[in-house]
Amino acid sequence: MTDQTYSDRLVQDTPFLTGHGRLSEQQVDRIILQLNRYYPQILTNKEAEKFRNPKVSLRMRLCDLLSHLQRSSERDCREFYRALYIHAQPLHSSLPSRHALQNSDCTELDRSGELSDRGPMSFLAGLGLAAGLALLLYCCPPDPKGLPGARRVLGFSPIIVDRHVSRYLLAFLADDLGGL
């Protein structure tokens, strides 16, 4: 189901789209006009007039349009879905093919590979802390008299911090580690 083409999706969605009251006449007209007027042109002027004929019922025009698109190229079906998204977004999000794609195995998250479930704010907080520590150590000149215990604690921080930052921390502490 993950290798489903737009043509296959259109075949699957046709009964849903042609259901009573799904698409209004204005929405169908806008979709037809987009397929006719915008580049790349999917429908010729004659075809667009045929599908927009008000003498024919909306359901018949929609069925004819969808069957015409099913016989055409994959690009045409993709452009139809783009037009449907633009002009009828709530309907587009409730299509059966979209639900099938969302429920497929490839779109489900593989939770076994996650490192943490704490979210992006905890990541940003840790990154900010590491960047702040690195900036503090970079900007402040080494003072051998002040806070010798802090140097011991910061000596273990490269274990936690990324290897690029740890090089700077170790270089900063290298001159003072001999006196520990």
Side-chain angles (χ1 to χ4, degrees), residues 6-7 9-11 13-14 17-18 23 27-28 30-32 34-35 40 42-43 61-63 65-70 72-88 91-92 95 97:
Y6 284 99
S7 300
R9 289 177 58 190
L10 192 57
V11 170
D13 292 335
T14 296
L17 290 170
T18 57
L23 285 168
Q27 289 172 325
V28 173
R30 283 189 221 128
I31 290 170
I32 292 170
Q34 180 168 344
L35 294 176
I42 307 299
L43 300 175
R61 289 187 284 152
L62 189 57
C63 287
L65 173 66
L66 294 176
S67 63
H68 172 77
L69 289 172
Q70 288 171 8
S72 60
S73 70
E74 181 72 14
R75 177 187 66 101
D76 296 350
C77 295
R78 185 181 66 232
E79 291 300 322
F80 168 77
Y81 275 103
R82 181 181 293 165
L84 184 66
Y85 178 78
I86 291 170
H87 299 294
L91 182 69
H92 182 270
L95 289 171
S97 63

Side-chain angles (χ1 to χ4, degrees), residues 88-106:
Q89 190 172 5
L91 182 69
H92 182 270
S93 62
S94 63
L95 289 171
S97 63
R98 293 212 16 109
H99 289 296
L101 286 174
Q102 290 171 353
N103 293 333
S104 67
D105 291 336
C106 78

